[in-house]
Amino acid sequence: MTSYALQVPSEYGYVLTVAVSSLFINTLHFVLTAKARNRSGLAYPIPYASQEQAEKDPKAYAFNCAQRAHSNYTENLTPFLGALLISGLYYPTAGAALGAAWVFGRTWYAFGYTSGGPQGRLRGFFISVVSDLALKVMAVITCVKMLPSA
């Protein structure tokens, strides 16, 4: 078994800066969801308005959109951070740039979904999905490069 010390490139700070910035999107979602919940009148611990409520009340529907946007963010954050932190070991500048695109896309997604419903999320979704896929490919390449030579 071969062991080695992990050295991070000098530009890795950019990767970490993007990683930290992505965490503030959660705060954004918290604010957007709390505002939508207050407007809808849905009390805790109700996680979503029922379909019947959402069909009758646009404010309940808007709350569901905000809640779903937040849930989608939490579903995507861990894989994004993994791909970003791994890919940044070999591609720190490209990884940070793609990570920043993901953060931008997810921010657009949050505002779009909460203000325009499911159709409002599509542009932000596209940006985040493309950048996320590129990061995952770069993460795989990084892992292969780190395998010991035979």
Side-chain angles (χ1 to χ4, degrees), residues 19-130:
V20 168
S21 72
S22 73
L23 303 177
F24 287 99
I25 300 170
N26 191 58
T27 305
L28 170 65
H29 278 291
F30 167 77
V31 170
L32 293 173
T33 304
K35 285 181 178 181
R37 179 182 288 280
N38 286 338
R39 284 187 213 118
S40 72
L42 293 164
Y44 285 102
I46 298 169
Y48 287 96
S50 68
Q51 184 169 346
E52 181 180 292
Q53 287 173 308
E55 288 172 353
K56 290 180 182 177
D57 182 1
K59 292 177 182 176
Y61 180 78
F63 169 68
N64 281 0
C65 290
Q67 189 77 314
R68 182 63 200 125
H70 191 189
S71 295
N72 187 270
Y73 163 76
T74 61
E75 293 162 6
N76 284 278
L77 180 61
T78 303
F80 160 73
L81 286 174
L84 173 67
L85 296 173
I86 293 168
S87 67
L89 292 171
Y90 268 83
Y91 307 102
T93 306
L98 287 165
W102 187 89
V103 168
F104 175 76
R106 292 308 304 194
T107 302
W108 193 346
Y109 181 98
F111 284 117
Y113 208 158
T114 57
S115 65
Q119 290 299 312
R121 78 192 200 289
L122 295 179
R123 287 189 177 120
F125 173 79
F126 178 76
I127 293 168
S128 64
V129 165
V130 170

Side-chain angles (χ1 to χ4, degrees), residues 1-4 142-150:
M1 174 192 254
T2 305
S3 64
Y4 56 91
T142 297
C143 291
V144 169
K145 286 184 172 191
M146 294 183 76
L147 291 173
S149 333

